[in-house]
Structures are given as structure tokens and as C-alpha cells.
């Protein structure tokens, strides 16, 4: 009930800001310029955008996951905290590119990251669940297709922007979406292996081997991407501090998978 009240209040506040701007300027474009030049008006727009992102996230969670398990929620909060920290570090590197569009792009990135993490946890849950319903399969497959399509589209956008405008913050977005694509590939392979094991009459002894090689190959691709990204960023005189922690954990996971093989 409180969430509904906050949503209605934010909508009313946003409507009043837009109405006031149009009342003063009488035309669409001057009204937009007026809002963008007014800090209080932009603050209201930011709040409204943030609420819309939360509502969209809740809707997608309900559609693709239903209720989150306690472990999934805990992992999401933990990863989100680190992602926010890395985002703040990225802001310091690209402070010259800071703009409403910049904030929006990072918000979209964090939004999509959260659903990649949830999809990964949900597919891992297949191995521990004795019964998997058809709805589970529909949800997972639909989510993977949607996330893969969004990752590819945003990666292509970052690539085209970098080619046409030169090195910018789009390098970071392109790299992040490339990493997310490897996560999608990893999840899809795991889902396929778990599904085969579930429909097998006898225990599939080689499943663990396939999972291990999947982790090794995907880890290798991630390490290569991180090395390329670091080399490019250093070459353009930028030290990407925000990439150090995930790169370290990626290399450590790859080393562990390599040793296990």
C-alpha cells in the first residue's frame, strides 16, 4: 500500500512539473528545454524514472521468476552492492561524459545485470530440484532469449557509437554487454545439460565433466575480454579501477576450473 502511495505521489509530482513547464512555455520543445535546465524539475524526473525502473523490475520478476528464493535475493543484494561500487568508480573515470543519458545507460546496465544474476541462480537451482514444471522451462527460455537479444542490441549500439565517435564511455558498455553475453551462453549450456540430466533414466555421470569444461571455456573468454578491455583502456590513458575486482575474480575462477580439469 505504501509503495502504491509513493507511486501515485511521484506521478502527480511529475505531472505537475510537466504541466507547469508547458503552462509557462506553451510549446513542447521550449517546455522540454525548461525542464532540463531546471534542477528541481530534473530531480523529479530522475525520481520518477527510478520508480519506473523499480516497477518494471518487479513486473519482470513476477513474470519470469515468480517469488524469489531467499538465496537468490541474498545473492542479488550482495552482487548489486559491488556493482554499485564499481559504477561509482566508473563515474570518476568518465566524469567528463557525465550526463542524464550516461546515468540512464548505467541504470539499464545494472538492471539487466540483476536479471542475468537471477537467471544464473535459477538455472543452478535445477540441479537441486527434483521436479521442474513446464512453466519453469518457459520462463527460463523466454528470459534467456530476451536478455540475449537486449545484450546483442546494446553491444551493437556501443560498437557503432565507438566507431563513429571514438573512444568514450561506450567502450565500457560494450565490454559489459560482451561479458553478459558470455554469462547468457554459460547459463544456456548449463540449462541444456540440466534438462538432459532430468530427462535421463539413469544418472548422467559425465554431466559434471561437461559443466566443468563449460566453466573453463566461458572463463577463458571472460579473461580474454578483460585483458583486451584493460589494454584498450590503458592505451587511451584511462586506468579502469572499477574493472580490477571482477577481473581478479574471473581470473581466479578460471584458474580453479583449469586446475580442476
Amino acid at each position: 500500500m505504501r509503495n502504491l502511495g509513493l507511486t501515485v505521489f511521484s506521478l502527480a509530482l511529475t505531472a505537475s512539473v510537466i504541466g507547469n513547464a508547458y503552462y509557462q512555455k506553451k510549446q513542447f520543445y521550449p517546455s522540454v528545454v525548461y525542464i532540463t535546465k531546471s534542477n528541481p524539475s530534473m530531480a523529479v524526473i530522475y525520481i520518477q524514472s527510478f520508480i519506473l525502473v523499480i516497477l518494471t523490475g518487479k513486473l519482470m520478476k513476477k513474470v519470469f521468476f515468480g517469488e524469489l528464493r531467499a538465496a537468490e535475493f541474498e545473492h542479488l543484494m550482495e552482487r548489486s552492492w559491488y556493482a554499485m561500487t564499481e559504477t561509482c568508480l566508473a563515474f570518476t573515470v568518465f566524469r567528463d561524459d557525465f550526463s542524464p543519458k550516461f546515468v540512464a545507460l548505467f541504470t539499464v546496465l545494472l538492471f539487466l545485470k540483476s536479471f542475468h544474476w537471477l537467471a544464473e541462480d535459477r538455472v543452478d537451482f535445477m540441479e537441486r530440484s527434483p521436479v521442474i514444471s513446464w512453466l519453469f522451462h518457459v520462463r527460463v527460455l523466454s528470459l534467456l532469449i530476451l536478455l540475449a537479444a537486449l545484450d546483442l542490441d546494446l553491444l551493437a549500439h556501443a560498437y557503432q557509437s565507438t566507431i563513429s565517435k571514438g573512444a568514450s564511455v561506450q567502450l565500457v558498455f560494450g565490454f559489459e554487454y560482451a561479458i553478459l553475453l558470455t554469462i547468457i551462453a554459460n547459463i544456456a549450456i548449463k540449462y541444456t545439460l540440466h534438462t538432459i540430466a532430468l530427462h535421463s533414466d539413469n544418472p548422467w555421470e559425465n554431466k559434471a565433466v561437461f559443466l566443468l569444461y563449460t566453466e573453463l571455456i566461458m572463463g577463458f573468454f571472460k579473461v580474454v575480454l578483460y585483458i583486451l578491455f584493460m589494454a584498450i583502456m590503458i592505451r587511451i590513458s584511462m586506468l579502469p579501477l572499477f574493472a580490477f575486482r571482477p577481473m581478479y575474480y574471473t581470473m581466479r575462477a578460471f584458474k580453479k576450473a583449469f586446475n580442476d580439469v
Side-chain angles (χ1 to χ4, degrees):
M1 189 65 182
R2 185 176 63 179
N3 292 336
L4 178 61
L6 289 174
T7 302
V8 172
F9 176 75
S10 67
L11 286 172
L13 198 59
T14 303
S16 65
V17 167
I18 296 174
N20 176 64
Y22 191 80
Y23 175 77
Q24 294 193 37
K25 300 300 179 180
K26 307 299 182 183
Q27 294 181 357
F28 175 77
Y29 183 73
S31 300
V32 173
V33 174
Y34 174 81
I35 292 174
T36 56
K37 297 297 183 181
S38 171
N39 290 333
S41 298
M42 285 304 298
V44 172
I45 298 299
Y46 280 137
I47 293 172
Q48 181 62 59
S49 301
F50 181 69
I51 291 176
L52 288 176
V53 169
I54 293 176
L55 292 176
T56 304
K58 287 186 175 182
L59 176 62
M60 289 184 64
K61 178 187 75 70
K62 195 69 176 178
V63 171
F64 292 111
F65 297 101
E67 294 297 326
L68 294 182
R69 296 179 296 113
E72 291 172 341
F73 182 77
E74 182 180 349
H75 291 165
L76 178 62
M77 291 297 101
E78 181 181 354
R79 289 169 169 174
S80 297
W81 171 255
Y82 286 117
M84 288 297 296
T85 304
E86 291 159 7
T87 299
C88 292
L89 289 174
F91 282 163
T92 63
V93 175
F94 295 99
R95 55 186 177 274
D96 294 337
D97 295 328
F98 191 84
S99 65
K101 181 181 178 181
F102 181 76
V103 175
L105 289 173
F106 261 108
T107 302
V108 171
L109 175 61
L110 292 175
F111 181 81
L112 292 178
K113 272 187 174 183
S114 65
F115 281 94
H116 284 73
W117 298 330
L118 289 174
E120 192 173 20
D121 284 342
R122 186 56 59 95
V123 169
D124 287 340
F125 176 68
M126 289 179 67
E127 193 171 16
R128 301 186 297 273
S129 179
V131 179
I132 300 296
S133 66
W134 65 269
L135 180 60
F136 180 94
H137 291 286
V138 171
R139 281 173 163 173
V140 169
L141 289 174
S142 301
L143 180 61
L144 291 181
I145 292 171
L146 176 62
L147 292 177
L150 290 173
D151 290 343
L152 284 171
D153 184 65
L154 291 167
L155 175 59
H157 171 73
Y159 174 78
Q160 292 296 333
S161 178
T162 302
I163 292 297
S164 60
K165 299 179 182 179
S168 67
V169 71
Q170 289 294 342
L171 275 173
V172 178
F173 292 120
F175 162 74
E176 290 285 358
Y177 288 117
I179 291 292
L180 291 180
L181 278 173
T182 65
I183 294 176
I184 286 293
N186 191 24
I187 296 172
I189 294 172
K190 283 184 176 181
Y191 169 78
T192 303
L193 295 176
H194 290 326
T195 302
I196 294 173
L198 285 172
H199 291 83
S200 178
D201 295 332
N202 300 316
W204 189 18
E205 297 179 357
N206 291 329
K207 174 186 171 183
V209 177
F210 283 108
L211 287 173
L212 183 59
Y213 275 104
T214 299
E215 291 290 342
L216 180 65
I217 295 171
M218 291 298 109
F220 173 75
F221 283 132
K222 286 183 181 180
V223 169
V224 171
L225 285 172
Y226 272 109
I227 292 174
L228 288 175
F229 176 70
M230 293 292 290
I232 293 172
M233 293 296 291
I234 292 174
R235 185 175 180 181
I236 60 177
S237 302
M238 293 183 183
L239 188 62
L241 296 176
F242 58 91
F244 283 176
R245 191 194 72 86
M247 182 177 69
Y248 166 74
Y249 282 107
T250 298
M251 289 183 170
R252 190 175 71 172
F254 173 71
K255 181 181 178 182
K256 181 179 181 300
F258 182 80
N259 291 333
D260 291 340
V261 171

